[in-house]
Amino acid sequence: MSWAGNRITDRIDASYTGSDALVRSEAAKHRHSLTQVITWAGIVLIWSIALFFVLETLGVPVTGLVAPATVLGVGLGFGAQRIVGDVLAGFFLITERQYGFGDVVSIQVVGGGDPADGTVEDVTLRITRLRSVNGEVVIVPNGQIVKVVNLSRDWARAVVDVPVPATTDVNRVQEVLREVGTKAYDDPRLHRLLLDAPSVMGVESLALDEVNLRMVARTLPGKQFEVGRDLRARVALALSREGVALRATSTGDGDARSVQEEALAEDRARSGGAA
């Protein structure tokens, strides 16, 4: 059963990797998760039937075990309420297509605390397994989930906040941001990830010494982080050419680094260290 499930999921993955699609379709993600659930349920069923035949082969009267099994089942029922809740929650997670294999999600569990963030690697009726950005494996019982934020469903949005000194010509900065958005949309590499041209929302907030402008872009699901990093680097370079200084941010050791410096360092790291 496990072999058959792996063959099916491998075929689903091959249809995605062999195509020109940049992201998995919602149907493919749901089929992958559904296959994992059916495989898990099939394995449990096969083991249960195998145990029944083993007992019958050994001459153990199965009918005589009905009464003790009933008492045991009642006892286990009280002790296994959480497992039953996990299975029921997993059933609704799958049928309602809240998320699937490959989705980037943020899961809030019972009791609060920091949410579990990562990419869905496995979904069964009992647990959801995530892979965080740091490579850590996070396993969440489905019955403990109280809130799911799916960051890769249908489409996503990259949000870029641009803090500039209050003395800056805001209209000119907005023109620069629109030019950056147009050039980014015309870039063949980014054009594949963008659903439409980035837009400038205008002034998002005001402070005594700074004005915060916001730029947003609709992207393919899960690609908002890549697009956001690229747009920040482009904005920093464009404003640097215009002589506009972005607000300096304080680091942990007390030093101040400008947003331009951070964006340029990130851009050099992504381009393999080129200046």
Side-chain angles (χ1 to χ4, degrees):
M1 188 69 185
S2 180
W3 175 82
N6 290 334
R7 287 292 301 273
I8 294 174
T9 54
D10 288 345
R11 182 172 297 181
I12 295 174
D13 292 339
S15 63
Y16 159 68
T17 56
S19 66
D20 295 330
L22 296 178
V23 296
R24 297 176 188 269
S25 66
E26 295 299 326
K29 289 187 287 190
H30 179 67
R31 286 196 299 268
H32 196 290
S33 299
L34 191 60
T35 301
Q36 291 175 320
V37 169
I38 294 175
T39 301
W40 181 81
I43 291 174
V44 173
L45 179 62
I46 290 173
W47 275 104
S48 301
I49 296 174
L51 178 62
F52 174 82
F53 281 111
V54 168
L55 292 176
E56 187 176 21
T57 302
L58 295 176
V60 179
V62 179
T63 55
L65 297 176
V66 173
T70 302
V71 177
L72 181 62
V74 173
L76 290 176
F78 287 106
Q81 291 181 9
R82 178 170 294 181
I83 296 178
V84 175
D86 292 342
V87 172
L88 289 176
F91 172 78
F92 288 111
L93 284 174
I94 299 300
T95 55
E96 294 174 358
R97 300 191 180 191
Q98 296 184 21
Y99 54 79
F101 176 83
D103 274 332
V104 180
V105 297
S106 177
I107 297 178
Q108 186 72 49
V109 298
V110 174
D114 295 332
D117 302 328
T119 303
V120 178
E121 285 194 341
D122 191 15
V123 182
T124 69
L125 288 178
R126 200 183 72 82
I127 60 98
T128 295
R129 188 176 71 209
L130 308 176
R131 179 77 64 174
S132 72
V133 294
N134 297 323
E136 303 163 338
V137 175
V138 182
I139 298 176
V140 182
N142 293 331
Q144 301 298 303
I145 298 174
V146 295
K147 179 182 178 181
V148 175
V149 179
N150 194 328
L151 304 177
S152 57
R153 183 67 179 269
D154 297 330
W155 57 273
R157 175 174 288 158
V159 179
V160 178
D161 287 330
V162 184
V164 297
T167 56
T168 305
D169 185 350
V170 175
N171 292 329
R172 178 54 188 159
V173 173
Q174 292 189 90
E175 292 177 4
V176 172
L177 296 182
R178 292 190 186 96
E179 293 173 1
V180 169
T182 301
K183 292 180 180 178
Y185 191 63
D186 292 337
D187 187 330
R189 182 179 61 83
L190 276 186
H191 187 83
R192 300 191 306 159
L193 307 180
L194 292 167
L195 298 180
D196 44 40
S199 59
V200 180
M201 304 299 292
V203 177
E204 180 65 21
S205 62
L206 290 171
L208 291 176
D209 58 346
E210 72 175 29
V211 177
N212 190 60
L213 293 92
R214 174 163 293 182
M215 184 179 188
V216 299
R218 285 203 315 146
T219 74
L220 292 176
K223 298 299 182 181
Q224 66 269 34
F225 310 109
E226 179 179 350
V227 171
R229 288 191 294 266
D230 194 289
L231 287 177
R232 290 185 187 94
R234 290 171 181 265
V235 168
L237 290 173
L239 292 181
S240 179
R241 296 190 188 101
E242 293 291 326
V244 177
L246 297 181
R247 177 180 59 87
T249 57
S250 177
T251 58
D253 56 1
D255 295 333
R257 293 184 64 191
S258 69
V259 178
Q260 281 106 326
E261 291 173 346
E262 293 179 351
L264 288 171
E266 183 176 326
D267 188 48
R268 285 195 295 269
R270 288 190 294 108
S271 60

